[in-house]
Amino acid sequence: MIRFIKEEFLFLFLVISWTIVGIYFGPAIYIYLPLSIVLLKVQNQIMYLFLGFFLVLIFSDSRHYEMMWAAGVKEVYIVFLGIFLFLDRKSFAVSNTFYQRFLPFLLVAVYCDMDSPDVWLALQKTLSYFLLLAVVPNYVIKLYYEDAQRFFHSLIMLACLVLLVGLVFVFVSYDLVFFAKRYCGLLGNPNGLGIYCMMIFLLLSTIKNLYPDCFTKREYLFIYLVIFFSVFLSGARSSILAMGIFMLFNYFYKMSSFLGFIVFLLIILSYQLFEDNFALIVNALNLEKYIRLETINTASGRIIAWSFAWEEIQKNIFFGRGFSYTDILFHVNEKSLSVKGHQGNAHNSYLTLWLETGLVGLFFYLFALISEFIRSFKKTHVTIPIMYALLFQIFFESWLASSLNPYTINLIMILVIASVATKEFNRGKQELPEEIPDFYPQRFVPR
């Protein structure tokens, strides 16, 4: 980590300067940040340009007041990335077809937006989702072919640095990184921190499976310790369990895909038995306080939210009311829901997507997502365990229905990296594919 900080000091200093300007000079960030990213593009620092966007998304999801500036500029940042991509198509070489699989979902979303209480806001959200799906894969593919090892190493170390700084603040400013006695790090939200740790863990697992030499053994140990310690302190149960699901299935799928599928069936069949004895298991392990056993039956108020969302879905089953409708709906009914013991939104990506794009939109989205995981399974066995973990975790959180957050971009990177590795594997890894020009300095072929 020290070596990474020394090597990338100028970039980290630039990000710190964004934060200082955003906190102390407010609106000036809308001038300073665009000038900074234009300068990065002029200097052809594409990796820093992308990593800067990733950091802005992390900061934008923080509940700390000091990070509010990032929530305002993230839309500006993704637009600039899109403009750079459009004006400089030749240097990106490989065309991105990733977004095409999600086009049916996006078309349904636009149709549903027309029935939104706030049409303009809904269309903005749909556009941001399209930009994320269309722009991010191009940058990831370009960085993959230019210098994958440096890109992967810098990406993971930067993500780990965010967690490490949060842990340092435990000793520097305890109240800043704890919320309701739960650790939330720089993200200001314990559940958000849990999702972040889970996604970084899954991204690292993908990279490790394909390119194990990206990190030394000491670096792997350090990163895993930081991730596991952070998620443990957060107490984010769904994220911790999702990571456990991944590790379980990863173990069996590594031996045999057939064995992994059999284990999956056995778990499905034994679910009811596990649910009936869950409380006994937790008590036997003396983990009732950490697991917060008293809130299990109500899923920390989520049952109330799910019931309310399901009632609303009955009014528009096949087509929803557009992006952001869930936020509007839960905000309008905030008082009545809080009396029943719920705060926040639907806390379920399936229900959120169903409310906003209907059953048709939900089907198209899940079909595109699952098919991407299955397509990459030929080269890397980790994609199916990752899929199981994610399909479980999004049952408890709504982040998948949002685009500009630090979680969805991680999912896209996992899928794109696995997809490109699969294409390289299918080509035989012998010669440069025709669409990749000679100016790429190296091929980082997956094992």
Side-chain angles (χ1 to χ4, degrees):
M1 181 59 74
I2 295 176
R3 181 169 64 89
F4 167 74
I5 294 174
K6 288 182 179 179
E7 291 176 352
E8 311 299 348
F9 177 77
L10 291 178
F11 167 69
L12 296 176
F13 180 78
L14 176 64
V15 173
I16 292 172
S17 71
W18 291 349
T19 306
I20 293 173
V21 172
I23 294 174
Y24 296 103
F25 300 97
I29 191 64
Y30 289 94
I31 299 174
Y32 180 62
L33 187 137
L35 288 176
S36 300
I37 60 180
V38 168
L39 181 61
L40 288 174
K41 179 61 177 71
V42 170
Q43 295 180 342
N44 200 35
Q45 297 291 346
I46 303 301
M47 187 183 78
Y48 294 145
L49 194 64
F50 182 78
L51 293 181
F53 177 61
F54 180 53
L55 270 179
V56 167
L57 289 185
I58 295 173
F59 294 156
S60 72
D61 206 60
S62 174
R63 291 187 180 180
H64 293 306
Y65 174 79
E66 293 81 5
M67 293 300 180
M68 286 184 63
W69 62 270
V73 299
K74 62 182 180 182
E75 291 90 354
V76 176
Y77 208 131
I78 187 68
V79 169
F80 268 90
L81 291 182
I83 292 172
F84 296 153
L85 174 63
F86 178 77
L87 296 177
D88 194 19
R89 278 298 311 157
K90 291 183 179 180
S91 71
F92 282 84
V94 184
S95 59
N96 162 38
T97 60
F98 180 83
Y99 74 95
Q100 294 177 2
R101 295 176 181 84
F102 291 87
L103 280 179
F105 162 75
L106 292 170
L107 291 174
V108 171
V110 171
Y111 174 78
C112 295
D113 290 344
M114 297 299 103
D115 193 33
S116 171
D118 190 333
V119 176
W120 176 237
L121 176 63
L123 289 173
Q124 281 183 302
K125 294 291 185 179
T126 306
L127 177 61
S128 71
Y129 221 120
F130 170 75
L131 286 175
L132 191 78
L133 292 169
V135 171
V136 167
N138 280 285
Y139 282 85
V140 174
I141 293 170
K142 177 179 175 63
L143 294 169
Y144 176 102
Y145 282 116
E146 285 188 340
D147 193 344
Q149 186 163 7
R150 183 185 175 216
F151 170 53
F152 293 153
H153 188 274
S154 299
L155 176 64
I156 295 297
M157 295 305 283
L158 183 64
C160 184
L161 181 61
V162 172
L163 295 176
L164 187 62
V165 171
L167 292 174
V168 170
F169 269 99
V170 173
F171 305 99
V172 176
S173 179
Y174 181 90
D175 293 335
L176 182 67
V177 292
F178 273 81
F179 175 76
K181 297 183 179 180
R182 290 178 62 191
Y183 176 68
C184 56
L186 293 184
L187 278 82
N189 174 14
N191 291 329
L193 177 63
I195 301 169
Y196 177 78
C197 290
M198 177 194 70
M199 295 307 300
I200 297 303
F201 174 69
L202 297 179
L203 177 61
L204 177 60
S205 299
T206 304
I207 294 171
K208 184 180 180 181
N209 178 255
L210 294 169
Y211 315 105
D213 297 333
C214 267
F215 302 90
T216 65
K217 290 183 178 179
R218 287 185 177 181
E219 286 176 329
Y220 275 122
L221 178 61
F222 174 76
I223 296 169
Y224 282 131
L225 285 175
V226 171
I227 291 175
F228 288 137
F229 191 53
S230 296
V231 75
F232 174 78
L233 287 179
S234 74
R237 297 171 298 193
S238 61
S239 296
I240 293 172
L241 192 52
M243 291 168 69
I245 289 172
F246 166 77
M247 288 187 285
L248 174 67
F249 283 108
N250 185 48
Y251 175 79
F252 288 106
Y253 269 93
K254 190 174 183 179
M255 292 189 289
S256 166
S257 57
F258 176 74
L259 180 60
F261 182 70
I262 293 299
V263 172
F264 173 73
L265 290 179
L266 289 174
I267 289 177
I268 294 296
L269 293 173
S270 61
Y271 170 76
Q272 190 62 50
L273 180 64
F274 175 77
E275 184 181 32
D276 293 340
N277 293 277
F278 180 74
L280 293 175
I281 296 172
V282 171
N283 285 320
L285 296 173
N286 292 320
L287 293 174
E288 58 272 13
K289 289 185 178 180
Y290 179 77
I291 299 296
R292 305 191 303 283
L293 195 59
E294 71 279 2
T295 65
I296 289 291
N297 290 334
T298 61
S300 296
R302 285 173 172 81
I303 299 295
I304 297 168
W306 297 342
S307 300
F308 177 70
W310 181 247
E311 289 175 5
E312 291 296 320
I313 285 172
Q314 308 307 305
K315 301 175 184 178
N316 299 278
I317 294 178
F318 295 103
F319 294 97
R321 302 284 306 274
F323 271 114
S324 290
Y325 175 65
T326 306
D327 292 334
I328 296 172
L329 179 66
F330 276 78
H331 177 71
V332 170
N333 294 275
E334 183 179 4
K335 290 184 178 179
S336 60
L337 290 171
S338 62
V339 170
K340 297 178 181 179
H342 169 74
Q343 292 181 347
N345 56 22
H347 291 290
N348 185 303
S349 293
Y350 302 104
L351 293 176
T352 302
L353 287 169
W354 199 336
L355 274 168
E356 297 179 350
T357 63
L359 182 60
V360 177
L362 176 63
F363 169 78
F364 281 132
Y365 191 96
L366 291 178
F367 180 80
L369 184 66
I370 294 173
S371 63
E372 276 294 320
F373 278 114
I374 294 174
R375 231 167 42 88
S376 302
F377 181 62
K378 182 177 180 180
K379 172 53 193 165
T380 169
H381 72 272
V382 300
T383 55
I384 298 301
I386 288 175
M387 182 182 73
Y388 290 155
L390 287 175
L391 291 178
F392 167 80
Q393 206 283 330
I394 61 175
F395 192 85
F396 299 93
E397 300 294 345
S398 296
W399 60 267
L400 193 62
S402 177
S403 57
L404 300 182
N405 59 51
Y407 323 121
T408 307
I409 189 174
N410 266 288
L411 172 60
I412 293 175
M413 286 191 287
I414 290 170
L415 290 171
V416 171
I417 292 168
S419 177
V420 175
T422 301
K423 289 179 180 178
E424 292 293 287
F425 176 74
N426 292 336
R427 289 188 184 111
K429 308 182 288 291
Q430 297 299 321
E431 298 178 355
L432 282 169
E434 292 182 0
E435 70 266 28
I436 301 178
D438 294 334
F439 61 70
Y440 280 128
Q442 65 172 351
R443 304 285 305 291
F444 201 55
V445 179
R447 290 189 177 183

